[in-house]
């Protein structure tokens, strides 16, 4: 078995596994349950998607195509500030709602 993709988290690994299985390539996830030990383990390269040696080249092409379709780092680096402002607004509204709920009960 060869590793065809190193995932940031289990959800990403399952997406890649499903993508490969849509192309009739059996895929396997390893390290999925190690994420709970992040305090004791390195925090990257824990979750990996593997395929049989014979399927590696075709799987690598599918994964490469998927990676090419992902937004670039430049786009992602501009988004967090805007989404962080939006999130903090919603958190503020939520906390205000909780406060009003407590005061009215």
């Amino acid at each position: 078995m060869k590793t065809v993709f190193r995932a940031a988290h289990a959800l990403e690994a399952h997406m890649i596994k499903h993508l490969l299985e849509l192309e009739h390539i059996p895929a396997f996830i390893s390290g999925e349950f190690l994420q709970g030990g992040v305090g004791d383990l390195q925090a990257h390269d824990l979750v990996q998607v593997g395929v049989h040696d014979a399927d590696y080249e075709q799987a690598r092409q599918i994964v490469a195509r998927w990676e090419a379709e992902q937004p670039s780092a430049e786009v992602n680096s501009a988004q967090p500030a805007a989404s962080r402002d939006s999130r903090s607004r919603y958190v503020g509204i939520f906390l205000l709602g909780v406060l009003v709920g407590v005061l009215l009960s």
Side-chain angles (χ1 to χ4, degrees):
M1 183 182 331
K2 288 187 176 181
T3 298
V4 72
F5 185 75
R6 295 181 189 281
H9 44 74
L11 179 61
E12 187 177 49
H14 279 278
M15 288 182 348
I16 296 297
K17 180 179 185 281
H18 182 68
L19 181 67
L20 293 171
E21 289 174 344
L22 286 174
E23 299 290 333
H24 307 289
I25 298 174
F28 310 93
I29 297 174
S30 63
E32 179 177 12
F33 300 109
L34 294 176
Q35 289 183 308
V38 167
D40 297 327
L41 301 170
Q42 63 182 2
H44 57 83
D45 290 341
L46 293 176
V47 186
Q48 301 174 10
V49 180
V51 296
H52 294 293
D53 294 352
D55 296 324
Y56 179 78
E57 290 302 322
Q58 183 183 3
R60 194 55 220 141
Q61 291 174 0
I62 293 167
V63 171
R65 191 171 56 234
W66 177 83
E67 289 173 330
E69 294 172 356
Q70 301 311 303
S72 69
E74 296 164 356
V75 172
N76 290 338
S77 66
Q79 290 177 346
S83 63
R84 188 172 38 244
D85 293 341
S86 176
R87 265 184 272 148
S88 63
R89 185 175 335 134
Y90 290 122
V91 170
I93 291 170
F94 172 76
L95 292 175
L96 180 62
V98 169
L99 180 62
V100 168
V102 167
L103 292 174
L104 292 177
S105 25

